[in-house]
Amino acid sequence: MSNTRTWLVANWKMHGLASEAADYAFRVNQALGQAPSNIAMVFCPPSILIPAAVHALPGNARLGIGAQNCHAAEKGAFTGEISAPMLADAKVGYVILGHSERRALCHETCAQVRAKADAALAAGLTPILCVGETRDEREAGKTQTVLEKQMQAFAGLDAGAILIAYEPVWAIGSGHTPTTKEIAAAHSTIKSALGSDGVVLYGGSVKSTNLREILDTPGVSGALIGAASLDAGGMETMLSIAAEKGNER
Ligand code: PGA
C-alpha cells in the first residue's frame, strides 16, 4: 500500500441498516471526490449491509468497501461464516482482521488472524491487520514486546499488500488516546517489523477533534475510526481534515 496516501477507515462494527449504509456510502463517496487523490477511504459496514453500500456507489467511486472479518477457509461447513472469495465476489476490496474485539470475544489467536490474512490476500483483498496492547500490558511496560509478538504472526507478508492498524485495546471506545509520543513509538516498533514501506494506521477514540494531531504524528498514515465514523457529517469533517493534510504533500 502506498504510504504517500492518507487513509481513513470507517469501522461501523455492528451498527446500521441497509438504507443507512447506502446513504452513507453515497454521501461519503461524494465528499471523497472533493479530496485530493492521495486521500483514500474505506467503509466497513456489517457484512449484510455490504451489497446496499456497493449498489449505492457510482461506477467510478473512490470509496473502498471493506468487511470486518472473514473465514480462513475458501468454503466448507462453517455455519454463519463468510469466506474471503465471497467478499471479493460482493465487490469488497478490504477486510479488517484481528480486531481486538474479535481477539477478545471470539478468542482469535495470532495464528488464526494470519491464516485469515493469507486467505484474504489469496482472494485479492487488502487485509487491515489490527495489533495493540491492553491497559495492563502497557502499564507493565510490555507494549513493545506485545506489538513485536503480534507482528511476528505477519512475518513474510508483502508489506505493500497490507495495512496495519495500531489500536491500543484500552483506547478503543474509551475516549482515551495515547500521547502522540506513545503513538509514534508504537508505530516505529511496528514499522521495524514491517519494513519502512509499510502503512500503519492509528485507531482508538479517533474523532474530528483529535484527528489532525494524530495524522501529524510521525509514522501515522491514517486512522481507523469506530464510533465517530457512524455519522456521515462527522466523516465529512474528518475527510476535510485529511484533505488539508493531503494538500500539504
Ligand atoms: P473507536 O473504535 O473509534 O470507537 O474507539 C475504533 C476501532 O475499534 O476500530
Side-chain angles (χ1 to χ4, degrees):
M1 288 304 112
S2 163
N3 60 10
T4 57
R5 293 167 101 183
T6 299
W7 293 82
L8 293 184
V9 179
N11 176 12
W12 265 22
K13 306 192 181 184
M14 197 173 73
H15 292 283
L17 296 172
S19 59
E20 292 162 339
D23 287 349
Y24 182 90
F26 180 80
R27 204 170 140 183
V28 168
N29 181 61
Q30 273 196 328
L32 185 60
Q34 310 302 312
S37 58
N38 56 357
I39 307 301
M41 185 172 163
V42 182
F43 172 35
C44 305
S47 292
I48 198 166
L49 307 187
I50 285 170
V54 167
H55 290 135
L57 291 173
N60 61 352
R62 268 176 61 190
L63 182 67
I65 299 294
Q68 299 172 14
N69 181 40
C70 71
H71 197 276
E74 248 178 70
K75 58 184 168 184
F78 302 107
T79 301
E81 295 287 341
I82 296 177
S83 73
M86 291 171 188
L87 294 176
D89 187 46
K91 300 201 166 43
V92 166
Y94 301 81
V95 58
I96 297 172
L97 294 173
H99 191 284
S100 66
E101 285 156 12
R102 294 197 58 85
R103 289 186 194 249
L105 297 175
C106 309
H107 308 289
E108 276 186 16
T109 63
C110 285
Q112 286 167 337
V113 177
R114 169 58 187 260
K116 290 178 179 207
D118 288 336
L121 286 163
L125 306 179
T126 299
I128 304 169
L129 304 169
C130 303
V131 295
E133 81 288 357
T134 62
R135 165 73 70 195
D136 286 352
E137 288 164 342
R138 174 161 285 275
E139 283 173 359
K142 291 189 187 148
T143 300
Q144 187 172 344
T145 322
V146 168
L147 293 176
E148 281 167 355
K149 180 170 171 280
Q150 290 175 336
M151 287 304 296
Q152 259 169 29
F154 306 136
L157 291 181
D158 174 4
I162 62 177
L163 299 165
I164 302 287
Y166 168 56
E167 295 211 304
V169 180
W170 54 273
I172 295 173
S174 66
H176 301 295
T177 52
T179 63
T180 51
K181 214 171 145 203
E182 287 167 335
I183 295 174
H187 280 234
S188 152
T189 300
I190 293 166
K191 285 204 172 202
S192 306
L194 187 63
S196 53
D197 291 344
V199 174
V200 189
L201 318 180
Y202 168 80
S205 295
V206 176
K207 43 187 188 274
S208 54
T209 49
N210 61 15
L211 180 65
R212 197 182 311 267
E213 78 168 353
I214 285 168
L215 293 181
D216 281 341
T217 304
V220 175
S221 294
L224 174 50
I225 309 157
S229 77
L230 289 170
D231 164 54
M235 213 51 240
E236 284 166 353
T237 306
M238 289 192 271
L239 269 171
S240 61
I241 292 167
E244 280 170 34
K245 193 172 163 66
N247 280 326
E248 285 163 16
R249 284 192 159 133

